[in-house]
Amino acid sequence: MSSPNSSPTLSPLDSPLSSSRALSPTPTIIEPTFIVLPDLVSHCPFSPTYHDNGDAVAAESLKWMLSYVPHFTQKKVSAMHGLQAGQLTAYCYNNCTSDRLRVVSDFMNYLFHLDNVSDGYLARDAAGLADWVMNAFEWPDAYRPVAGQRGGVEEISAGKMARDYWSRCIRDCAPVVQGRFKSNMQMYFQAVHEEAVFRANGIIPDLETYIQIRRDTSGCKPVFDLIEYSLNLELPDAVIDHPVIVALNQCANDLVTWSNDIFSYNVEQARGDTHNMIYVFMVHEGLTLQQAVDRTGAMCKQTVDTFVENLARIPSWGDDIDKDVKLYVGGLAAWISGSLHWSFMTTRYFGDNGALVKATRIVDLLEGENAKA
């Protein structure tokens, strides 16, 4: 018998502590309050270069953009200033003439704000908006109603801006480059429509499907066509369609696009937007938020490595074409480095905290009401 002053020995099953644990409710899962970004800037082997006249051209381009949207609220105007699309252009097209930089900068501003300038038209009716914009690309001299577009109806601002930009671009843009650009813009609108269908039905596509659509919704394909325009190039189809050049183009697209998914995740999650690679990994592979961020970051680093590997595989087409190919591929590399550095300059993703986030790589997650418009 045990001593009156001693406690009886309890088996683990009889232990009050064990009993308490067994009967307690499922522990509350604490939602993350921040994410740690992958260090993509340090991994990038290309140094950013800024156009000598970049700031002046960026200011002119922004003024042009604002002239078409007098109805914008002060909040939207401030967001356009903070966007710094012209500065991104100056990083990515850093060795062209100022005149051509201005044309490209206008398109970059236009592409970023396509949804805003058309009052949400892109989300509501991507096919309808595509008709207006592609109409401008087909007939840059004046608006011509086509099937489904009534005569006497005033052209929407998105069409007017596209016509203004395109009429200046084609003055000295090679016909083959014009064709590529228009084809890629058509694919952009088709992909945006597919994305809208997924969103409307609450569908998060699998990784393969997502990557294919995202390569077009990113808008990288037409802006990469403008590398040729900016440098007065006209690469033959045999060069552009060569597997190594296609791979380099795709790697640059993927890096810009997937890194953007990481940088934009915070503001997107705060407004309930799930068209992002991070969500794809969380939904289809059951990863935690940070694991999904890390996985996306690893893919970004791998695509940069693949880009570098393919640089050594570029074949020769003769001295003249090789020189142009080197300029074009340099433009792709400029997009890789320029987009990474610009992402911490613009207020689009991290507000006024871009420099701090770049240094610490820590992003505090926003709540819904704090999401940017």
Side-chain angles (χ1 to χ4, degrees), residues 62 66 72-85 109 112-113 116 342 346-348 372-373:
L62 180 57
L66 290 172
F72 266 20
T73 64
Q74 186 55 50
K75 183 178 180 180
K76 287 186 176 181
V77 171
S78 296
M80 289 178 64
H81 280 276
L83 174 69
Q84 299 191 53
N109 267 300
F112 268 114
H113 290 282
N116 289 339
W342 167 84
T346 178
T347 59
R348 187 175 180 87
K372 291 185 178 181

Side-chain angles (χ1 to χ4, degrees), residues 311-326:
L311 290 177
R313 301 189 178 107
I314 299 175
S316 175
W317 289 275
D319 291 345
D320 289 342
I321 293 180
D322 289 356
K323 181 179 64 175
D324 289 349
V325 169
K326 183 176 181 179

Side-chain angles (χ1 to χ4, degrees), residues 96-116:
C96 63
T97 65
S98 294
D99 288 343
R100 295 200 181 210
L101 179 68
R102 168 61 196 279
V103 173
V104 179
S105 185
D106 286 356
F107 179 71
M108 292 288 286
N109 267 300
Y110 175 66
L111 188 62
F112 268 114
H113 290 282
L114 195 56
D115 189 36
N116 289 339

Side-chain angles (χ1 to χ4, degrees), residues 99-339:
D99 288 343
R100 295 200 181 210
L101 179 68
R102 168 61 196 279
V103 173
V104 179
S105 185
D106 286 356
F107 179 71
M108 292 288 286
N109 267 300
Y110 175 66
L111 188 62
F112 268 114
H113 290 282
L114 195 56
D115 189 36
N116 289 339
V117 300
S118 54
D119 295 324
Y121 210 137
L122 189 60
R124 299 195 310 270
D125 184 9
L129 180 59
D131 286 343
W132 285 104
V133 175
M134 297 310 296
N135 182 299
F137 291 153
E138 291 299 328
W139 293 285
D141 55 330
Y143 169 56
R144 303 181 188 181
V146 295
Q149 294 177 326
R150 302 192 309 276
V153 177
E154 183 179 358
E155 186 178 21
I156 64 173
S157 61
K160 294 177 180 178
M161 295 178 71
R163 192 178 312 283
D164 185 331
Y165 145 76
W166 189 239
S167 65
R168 287 177 285 128
C169 183
I170 61 176
R171 291 172 191 167
D172 43 18
C173 181
V176 67
V177 178
Q178 294 181 37
R180 290 177 191 140
F181 177 88
K182 290 191 291 186
S183 176
N184 282 325
M185 281 300 297
Q186 190 66 59
M187 288 192 293
Y188 163 77
F189 282 115
Q190 290 173 355
V192 167
H193 173 69
E194 291 182 60
E195 177 188 332
V197 171
F198 281 139
R199 279 196 173 111
N201 291 281
I203 297 172
I204 297 179
D206 58 66
L207 183 62
E208 182 179 357
T209 302
Y210 176 81
I211 288 175
Q212 292 301 320
I213 293 176
R214 193 71 173 94
R215 284 173 178 159
D216 285 316
T217 61
S218 68
C220 281
K221 291 180 180 180
V223 299
F224 289 173
D225 292 326
L226 294 181
I227 295 174
E228 288 187 80
Y229 162 75
S230 72
L231 298 173
N232 196 28
L233 305 178
E234 188 175 2
L235 295 175
D237 288 338
V239 173
I240 288 294
D241 295 336
H242 189 279
V244 173
I245 302 302
V246 170
L248 287 166
N249 194 299
Q250 186 168 287
C251 284
N253 189 338
D254 289 345
L255 182 281
V256 172
T257 303
W258 300 344
S259 63
N260 178 261
D261 277 7
I262 296 172
F263 299 144
S264 64
Y265 171 79
N266 193 23
V267 292
E268 290 179 359
Q269 63 84 25
R271 64 173 180 246
D273 187 349
T274 59
H275 189 70
N276 189 299
M277 181 176 283
I278 292 172
Y279 275 107
V280 172
F281 282 130
M282 288 194 291
V283 169
H284 290 282
E285 298 193 18
L287 301 186
T288 66
L289 172 56
Q290 187 60 57
Q291 288 172 337
V293 171
D294 293 343
R295 177 74 67 84
T296 307
M299 290 181 63
C300 288
K301 292 179 179 179
Q302 181 58 58
T303 202
V304 171
D305 293 344
T306 302
F307 183 92
V308 172
E309 291 169 3
N310 278 310
L311 290 177
R313 301 189 178 107
I314 299 175
S316 175
W317 289 275
D319 291 345
D320 289 342
I321 293 180
D322 289 356
K323 181 179 64 175
D324 289 349
V325 169
K326 183 176 181 179
L327 288 170
Y328 176 76
V329 173
L332 296 176
W335 256 101
I336 290 174
S337 61
S339 64

Side-chain angles (χ1 to χ4, degrees), residues 34-47:
F34 67 92
I35 57 174
V36 180
L37 303 181
D39 188 2
L40 301 180
V41 172
S42 295
H43 188 79
C44 178
F46 310 112
S47 299

